Amino acid sequence: MSAANQKSGGTEERSFQTEVQQLLHLLIHSLYTHSDVFLRELISNASDALDKVRFRSLTDRQIADPDAALEIEIEVNTSAKTLTIRDSGIGMTREEVNQNIGTIAHSGSASLLKELSAAKDQDEKAKLQLIGQFGVGFYSVFMVAERVVLTTRAADPGAEAVQWESTGGGTYTIAAADKKDRGTEIKVYLRADGEEYLDAHRLEQIIRRHSDYVGYPIKVAGKQANSGSPLWTQPRSQISEEQYQEFYTHLSGDHDKPLAWEHVAVDVPIQFHSVLYVPRQSPMELLFRPEPRIALDLYVKRVFIQDDCKELLPMYLRFVRGVVDCDDLPLNVSRETLQHNPVVTKIRANLVRRLLALLEKMAKDRPEDYQTFWKAYGIVLKEGVVADHEHHGELSRLLRYTSSLGETPETLSSLQDYLDRMKEGQERIYFLAGEKGAVAQSPLLDAFRQRGLEVLFLTDPVDEWVVNRLEKYEGKEFQAIDAEDVDLGKEPRIEGADTDREQTIELLSFLKKALAERVADVRESQRLTDSPCALVTPKGGISHNMERLMKMTDRQFAPNRRVLEINPRHPVIRNLGAHLEKKRQNAQLEEWAHFLVDYVLLGEGTVEDPQRVLRNLNTIMAGASAHLAGEG
Ligand code: ADP
């Protein structure tokens, strides 16, 4: 809270919010090499204010100065060493000034401050770099100003004009002012080292470089310095990479370079322009808030209409930022009329197609950037497989998984990579769904490894839904390797390990009885080689991974029992069989039976009865150590 101190003539003196004071201190006392950006920030604010007033004037005939030209003027006074930036925008009331310019209202500054306090032991240079990354909006003016006087009058008829003034110290004053016309005027008293900004040529150069996208004329000493048409209506060939980036920063407040962008200009059957950006990163809370937004600004015939347009993109593309400007919508469109509007539907279909193609191109030409993309948004994009059947083809080409044949545990493969590596005659795409560390260790992989068959690891909770939804990729069905009915052809034999059929049959029937409460059945495995046993999903059952996820959301959920497969060629199983033949049923053997199940569960990262596991481990260790002692 800022303390207000009433002075004569309605002048109040107020303290800046503490965080603002810290920020200002840093801005004023450090030599910042990118001070040019203050102009961009002030112009960006003026442009937003003009957008707002233009939108309001569509419906509000009472607005102050309805016929004022929508433009930004910059005036230089070399003798007074001042620079004035004036707009005929929406203006601010006294409360709005206090709220907007006195506290950290804007999210970029808030996250900057968080970073700054994390970097509090670093040198000034590192902190200034952070400022460059986040941008500080209006406050950046104090990099060049020793005093700033802001005079503003809101667009409401009869609104009181106010004057805000500060030297960037701990306080500012706010008072009633005499301003007849609508809008905001910012008078910057330049510091001695900021006098370069009194040079009109220099200003024009900065404007062309950083603010050319602005759709309103920006006049320096009466002369227009920018092209004056919004970036999206300009021909692609005339826009530099830097201009696309400046525009992105203006839209998003993000100073990082976007991963990719697309500039769309369509004439038939409907006329619209769009510039779409894929940010390098988006805060999780933005992507996963309860009511996510589609951060596209909608313009109609160059007039800003609204900034959250759920109709323009499906939710699974909510990481995209950008603008859409359409000539074929009426200026009085409302949220309600946007729904089911055939023009909007067409635009949306076009944007989805372009974006998916853009991502596919990124994946192909810039695999490293695509990895960054996938890590940031893969989980959001996967929602598309469930929500958008029409684009299954495109979406499935964008999916990435780790796999049993990956170069490193982190290496990502596409489904096409998988297909390219498939063995001759292989008919299915094998996968194993489960926890990240556990899947790569699963005994079920033995037989696949041995045959050189690749298994995709589905470690994201939604992954299994996604492949179930897709059913096939390029005609190849997906197959879970922990299903009971995986057919791998003839079983492999372990060299020199003959099995005793009768022993195996007897062991199976013993285990079935001993484990009746824990497993649905016990079978002889056709696929295990190096592991004694595994648990698999019975035919037609819900996969264990799905059950695990259901249990997370519903604690009452009772999972189905799985089938225990044993490997009769494995020494542990053979020894148990031999023991059973000699000793018949006994308590120790029953403990062993349970341990076979617990052994698998441990590998999956769950323990049902830790006490029993410990008891068994104890026995095993005692036996093994006795063996060791005997050897020594
Ligand atoms: P940001 O523009 O990112 O929100 P700023 O610190 O630059 O952050 O500005 C804070 C707020 O002050 C703006 O969101 C806007 O509401 C208000 N503001 C700034 N400049 C103007 C202006 N020229 N006209 C009207 N409002 C303005």
Side-chain angles (χ1 to χ4, degrees):
M1 262 309 290
S2 52
N5 180 1
Q6 204 72 22
K7 288 192 175 176
S8 58
T11 305
E12 296 170 63
E13 184 171 357
R14 285 178 171 243
S15 305
F16 282 112
Q17 195 186 18
T18 321
E19 288 87 346
V20 179
Q21 291 184 27
Q22 292 164 0
L23 193 63
L24 289 173
H25 183 85
L26 194 65
L27 288 170
I28 292 168
H29 295 282
S30 331
L31 192 67
Y32 189 49
T33 44
H34 296 77
S35 51
D36 284 5
V37 301
F38 89 90
L39 195 60
R40 171 188 72 193
E41 297 297 321
L42 296 185
I43 289 175
S44 167
N45 283 344
S47 168
D48 287 345
L50 288 166
D51 271 351
K52 285 180 195 156
V53 85
R54 181 152 68 174
F55 177 62
R56 191 157 144 198
S57 66
L58 291 177
T59 50
D60 186 356
R61 297 313 303 158
Q62 302 302 314
I63 201 162
D65 306 331
D67 302 319
L70 299 178
E71 56 185 31
I72 301 165
E73 281 180 84
I74 299 183
E75 210 178 87
V76 176
N77 184 333
T78 38
S79 50
K81 300 200 168 48
T82 61
L83 183 68
T84 304
I85 293 104
R86 191 176 299 121
D87 67 63
S88 48
I90 192 88
M92 283 177 273
T93 63
R94 189 184 276 249
E95 294 74 57
E96 283 168 341
V97 174
N98 278 325
Q99 178 57 36
N100 295 333
I101 307 192
T103 64
I104 299 273
H106 115 142
S107 61
S109 311
S111 38
L112 168 71
L113 278 167
K114 223 159 82 199
E115 296 286 322
L116 278 178
S117 65
K120 65 174 179 296
D121 298 329
Q122 301 202 11
D123 59 7
E124 297 284 280
K125 211 170 134 216
K127 290 188 201 162
L128 285 170
Q129 255 166 7
L130 284 173
I131 295 183
Q133 261 169 43
F134 285 88
V136 287
F138 174 81
Y139 302 114
S140 60
V141 71
F142 286 102
M143 294 190 292
V144 300
E146 59 184 25
R147 185 154 77 95
V148 177
V149 179
L150 176 148
T151 316
T152 184
R153 186 160 169 249
D156 315 285
E160 174 209 31
V162 287
Q163 185 164 320
W164 174 101
E165 187 173 337
S166 177
T167 57
T171 61
Y172 62 87
T173 59
I174 191 157
D178 183 27
K179 185 179 190 314
K180 297 272 178 293
D181 47 356
R182 177 191 81 199
T184 303
E185 179 182 301
I186 298 166
K187 193 169 204 170
V188 183
Y189 291 81
L190 290 165
R191 300 193 331 204
D193 61 0
E195 285 184 17
E196 58 180 302
Y197 300 111
L198 293 172
D199 175 359
H201 289 298
R202 176 96 174 82
L203 294 174
E204 284 169 29
Q205 192 196 2
I206 301 173
I207 290 166
R208 263 196 305 279
R209 177 135 184 234
H210 294 300
S211 306
D212 201 56
Y213 61 81
V214 172
Y216 304 97
I218 306 171
K219 292 181 175 162
V220 178
K223 189 170 144 230
Q224 186 164 331
N226 63 332
S227 59
S229 52
L231 177 123
W232 59 87
T233 61
Q234 297 171 27
R236 273 173 289 231
S237 57
Q238 283 171 28
I239 308 172
S240 68
E241 193 159 308
E242 196 181 3
Q243 284 172 325
Y244 277 117
Q245 281 182 31
E246 290 290 352
F247 183 53
Y248 168 71
T249 301
H250 167 74
L251 279 179
S252 64
D254 177 10
H255 289 246
D256 211 352
K257 196 176 161 195
L259 272 178
W261 62 80
E262 176 81 5
H263 187 162
V264 185
V266 175
D267 272 334
V268 275
I270 41 167
Q271 213 178 15
F272 77 94
H273 290 91
S274 172
V275 182
L276 306 166
Y277 294 91
V278 179
R280 192 161 284 270
Q281 268 184 341
S282 296
M284 287 301 252
E285 60 267 27
L286 232 130
L287 291 176
F288 294 102
R289 55 179 154 197
E291 284 193 29
R293 298 155 39 96
I294 291 294
L296 289 189
D297 293 348
L298 175 67
Y299 287 73
V300 171
K301 304 180 185 76
R302 256 58 75 216
V303 179
F304 172 76
I305 304 291
Q306 67 184 58
D307 63 2
D308 169 22
C309 298
K310 292 207 170 47
E311 294 74 20
L312 283 173
L313 278 184
M315 267 305 150
Y316 70 88
L317 293 172
R318 61 182 174 273
F319 49 84
V320 172
R321 308 285 308 233
V323 294
V324 173
D325 184 354
C326 178
D327 284 5
D328 295 330
L329 284 170
L331 275 166
N332 62 359
V333 285
S334 64
R335 279 181 203 277
E336 293 68 46
T337 53
L338 280 178
Q339 282 171 13
H340 316 296
N341 181 308
V343 172
V344 174
T345 310
K346 284 202 184 87
I347 297 178
R348 173 182 162 124
N350 189 299
L351 298 183
V352 172
R353 194 163 45 75
R354 304 262 186 163
L355 281 165
L356 294 177
L358 177 73
L359 294 176
E360 203 167 337
K361 192 161 167 5
M362 193 201 313
K364 188 161 157 273
D365 301 343
R366 297 181 285 137
E368 274 185 24
D369 282 346
Y370 191 73
Q371 278 234 27
T372 308
F373 165 82
W374 184 252
K375 289 204 173 114
Y377 309 116
I379 183 145
V380 179
L381 199 70
K382 285 174 197 169
E383 294 172 14
V385 175
V386 179
D388 186 355
H389 194 266
E390 192 189 332
H391 293 101
H392 268 187
E394 291 92 328
L395 285 164
S396 59
R397 288 197 289 278
L398 294 169
L399 299 172
R400 294 293 179 273
Y401 300 101
T402 54
S403 104
S404 61
L405 291 187
E407 248 171 65
T408 73
E410 302 298 322
T411 307
L412 294 172
S413 300
S414 67
L415 294 173
Q416 192 54 49
D417 294 336
Y418 184 98
L419 249 54
D420 293 345
R421 292 194 285 253
M422 259 169 131
K423 288 270 166 205
E424 205 166 302
Q426 184 183 340
E427 279 308 317
R428 289 166 174 229
I429 300 174
Y430 295 109
F431 70 85
L432 181 59
E435 295 253 28
K436 207 168 174 184
V439 283
Q441 306 301 327
S442 167
L444 294 168
L445 291 171
D446 292 355
F448 291 84
R449 287 224 167 91
Q450 213 179 44
R451 291 168 166 81
L453 293 172
E454 179 166 15
V455 177
L456 295 177
F457 296 150
L458 273 49
T459 53
D460 199 353
V462 299
D463 280 342
E464 205 176 354
W465 269 294
V466 168
V467 296
N468 286 346
R469 241 351 193 335
L470 286 178
E471 290 172 18
K472 287 179 185 180
Y473 179 75
E474 296 287 323
K476 306 277 184 204
E477 274 178 40
F478 291 96
Q479 170 70 60
I481 69 161
D482 59 353
E484 194 189 8
D485 49 351
V486 184
D487 180 13
L488 275 174
K490 228 175 144 28
E491 68 197 80
R493 292 249 153 211
I494 294 179
E495 204 75 26
D498 279 329
T499 60
D500 180 330
R501 285 301 307 160
E502 251 169 59
Q503 238 180 41
T504 306
I505 291 166
E506 209 172 317
L507 182 63
L508 283 171
S509 88
F510 164 72
L511 290 174
K512 265 184 228 185
K513 231 191 274 157
L515 295 172
E517 305 275 305
R518 293 188 81 189
V519 300
D521 199 359
V522 185
R523 307 249 169 88
E524 183 177 345
S525 179
Q526 304 298 319
R527 54 182 147 186
L528 294 174
T529 57
D530 303 336
S531 312
C533 55
L535 286 167
V536 299
T537 308
K539 232 177 262 181
I542 305 175
S543 86
H544 180 60
N545 181 54
M546 286 285 200
E547 292 192 333
R548 186 173 63 91
L549 298 173
M550 287 174 178
K551 214 172 163 181
M552 280 184 200
T553 49
D554 175 10
R555 300 180 91 204
Q556 305 295 314
F557 180 82
N560 285 313
R561 282 171 297 160
R562 285 185 281 171
V563 172
L564 179 72
E565 282 194 1
I566 56 163
N567 174 5
R569 299 163 296 276
H570 193 281
V572 167
I573 302 298
R574 277 192 300 149
N575 291 340
L576 286 181
H579 186 75
L580 179 69
E581 202 168 37
K582 275 193 281 175
K583 295 268 172 74
R584 296 285 128 205
Q585 217 138 317
N586 65 46
Q588 188 52 48
L589 258 181
E590 285 202 14
E591 287 287 278
W592 267 102
H594 281 287
F595 194 71
L596 290 178
V597 177
D598 289 330
Y599 170 84
V600 181
L601 293 181
L602 275 172
E604 290 173 355
T606 43
V607 190
E608 279 171 3
D609 182 352
Q611 296 312 324
R612 182 170 56 206
V613 175
L614 279 183
R615 215 164 50 230
N616 274 320
L617 273 176
N618 199 2
T619 315
I620 293 166
M621 288 196 299
S625 55
H627 184 71
L628 270 182
E631 268 183 355

